[in-house]
């Protein structure tokens, strides 16, 4: 079993936000090479959703290629969730700077939540990706420097609001079967200088439903290992393959149905975030009482802090832009045991998951940075 070691703040050492700037620096751009990556003519970044470093270490025998390609470990950032990490990778900024600070966040002054993954609002309202995430992306910076920036991922994600928010400036190469993804990467890498990202999400999807370490999850891990090896074989001379993830995962051994607990819902206007990183938005004047109630109920199971405490403790990075502050819950509840804070009346599918992520434990925060080079 992976031990859930608390990590507060989440930004000790190198974080995922350091990676894209270091990759651009390795490609010759004037960026801060925090990770000290060696120069390369072409770079392929293999992003595996849910491939936590602790999880990979526990099953290295299933992924021998990845296990042999070790380099270092990064922290995902808080919350350890896909939308936040994709935006950190897409901008080179911490969550407090790019503003994608949770799966579901309150739209300031609107009285409703915004799902940043599905890019959905209630009543068929729409959210402008440039308004929600206005920062220049690393793909735009690469393109401006004459580097061909490509993103290889399933066709279903092409043109989505999230894609427009975090991958602006990239050439989207839609591909679903693994064979097709590898072929797309091979093609893109021969258009040097090239910066190619290829995404694989099935490991995370299976982990949610059956848990990490399950037979189904191990099958997916073996597929990821084989795909990484094949991507390495496509590298032309002078190139590098980096493998990383957006977060890890824990299997829930306990669940609290928050929306069925009167003590927890009293004074709550909106329940955002997700099961391992709850943003609790309170009714006017109720923040103190809600904070006390959640702390009392979750004592010994979760960190429960106010917005100010989270910001001052660096949960969202060294700085948080003033305009993003209202997106953060008045109260944040983040389990450090294997507890999931579900809300079945609001998020029915999430409530039946086995695997979850979002918190600041080692299993969720630590992600690998693996390297294979033909330099």
């Amino acid at each position: 079993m992976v031990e859930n070691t608390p990590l507060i703040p989440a930004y000790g050492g190198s974080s995922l936000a350091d990676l894209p700037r270091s990759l651009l620096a390795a490609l010759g751009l004037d960026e801060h090479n925090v990770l000290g990556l060696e120069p390369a003519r072409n770079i392929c970044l293999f992003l595996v959703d849910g491939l936590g470093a602790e999880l990979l270490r526990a099953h290295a025998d299933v992924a021998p290629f990845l296990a042999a390609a070790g380099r270092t470990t990064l922290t995902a950032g808080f919350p350890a969730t896909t939308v936040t990490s994709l935006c950190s990778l897409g901008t080179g900024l911490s969550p407090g700077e790019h503003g994608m600070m949770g799966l579901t966040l309150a739209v300031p002054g609107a009285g409703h939540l915004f799902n940043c993954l599905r890019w959905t609002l209630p009543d068929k309202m729409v959210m402008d990706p440039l308004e929600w995430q206005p920062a220049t992306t690393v793909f735009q910076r690469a393109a401006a420097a004459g580097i061909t920036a490509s993103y290889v991922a399933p066709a279903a994600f092409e043109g989505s609001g999230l894609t427009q928010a975090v991958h602006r400036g990239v050439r989207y190469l839609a591909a679903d079967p693994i064979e097709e993804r590898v072929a797309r990467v091979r093609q893109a890498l021969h258009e040097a200088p090239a910066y190619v990202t290829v995404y694989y999400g099935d490991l995370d999807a299976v982990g949610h439903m059956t848990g990490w370490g399950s037979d189904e999850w191990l099958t997916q891990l073996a597929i990821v290992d084989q795909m990484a090896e094949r991507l390495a074989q496509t590298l032309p001379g002078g190139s590098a393959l980096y493998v990383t993830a957006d977060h890890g995962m824990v299997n829930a051994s306990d669940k609290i149905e928050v929306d069925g607990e009167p003590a927890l819902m009293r004074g709550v206007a909106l329940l955002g975030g997700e099961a391992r990183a709850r943003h609790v938005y309170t009714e006017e004047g109720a923040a103190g009482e809600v904070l006390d109630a959640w702390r009392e109920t979750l004592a010994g199971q979760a960190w429960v802090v106010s917005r100010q405490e989270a910001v001052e403790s660096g949960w969202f990075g060294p700085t948080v832009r003033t305009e993003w502050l209202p997106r953060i819950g008045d109260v944040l509840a983040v389990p450090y045991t294997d507890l999931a804070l579900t809300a079945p009346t609001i998020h029915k599918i999430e409530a039946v998951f086995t695997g979850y992520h979002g918190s600041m434990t080692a299993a969720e925060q630590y992600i690998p940075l693996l390297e294979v080079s033909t330099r």
Side-chain angles (χ1 to χ4, degrees), residues 3 18 27 35 40 53 72 204 223 241 247 252 259 352 368 370 375:
E3 183 179 351
D18 295 323
L27 287 166
L35 301 178
T72 190
D204 177 72
I223 291 172
L241 167 69
H247 54 74
D259 51 0
V352 301
L370 312 176
R375 290 187 290 256

Side-chain angles (χ1 to χ4, degrees), residues 51 58 72 74 84 113 136 154 204-205 208 218 246 249 299 370 373:
L51 184 66
T72 190
L74 308 175
T84 302
L113 295 170
T136 302
D204 177 72
H208 279 306
L218 292 173
D246 51 352
M249 183 172 285
L370 312 176
S373 173

Side-chain angles (χ1 to χ4, degrees), residues 91-104:
T91 61
L93 301 174
S94 63
E97 296 171 300
H98 62 60
M100 203 84 80
M101 296 178 287
L103 174 62
T104 54

Side-chain angles (χ1 to χ4, degrees), residues 72-138:
T72 190
T73 300
L74 308 175
T75 51
F78 178 75
T81 197
T82 299
V83 293
T84 302
S85 292
L86 286 185
C87 202
S88 296
L89 269 176
T91 61
L93 301 174
S94 63
E97 296 171 300
H98 62 60
M100 203 84 80
M101 296 178 287
L103 174 62
T104 54
L105 299 173
V107 178
H112 56 71
L113 295 170
F114 172 49
N115 189 309
C116 301
L117 181 65
R118 300 185 182 280
W119 213 261
T120 54
L121 290 164
D123 302 324
K124 298 183 180 180
M125 292 183 286
V126 296
M127 175 64 72
D128 181 354
L130 188 58
E131 176 183 345
W132 191 258
Q133 198 301 98
T136 302
T137 69
V138 295

Side-chain angles (χ1 to χ4, degrees), residues 328-347:
I328 303 171
D330 297 287
V331 174
L332 292 101
V334 183
Y336 53 78
T337 63
D338 291 337
L339 171 69
L341 301 172
T342 65
T345 61
I346 305 171
H347 307 292

Side-chain angles (χ1 to χ4, degrees), residues 111 265-270 280-290 307 330:
M265 292 304 293
R266 190 174 298 113
V268 174
L270 295 170
V280 185
Y281 304 92
T282 66
E283 297 172 354
E284 187 174 355
E289 293 181 4
V290 171
R307 174 192 295 145
D330 297 287

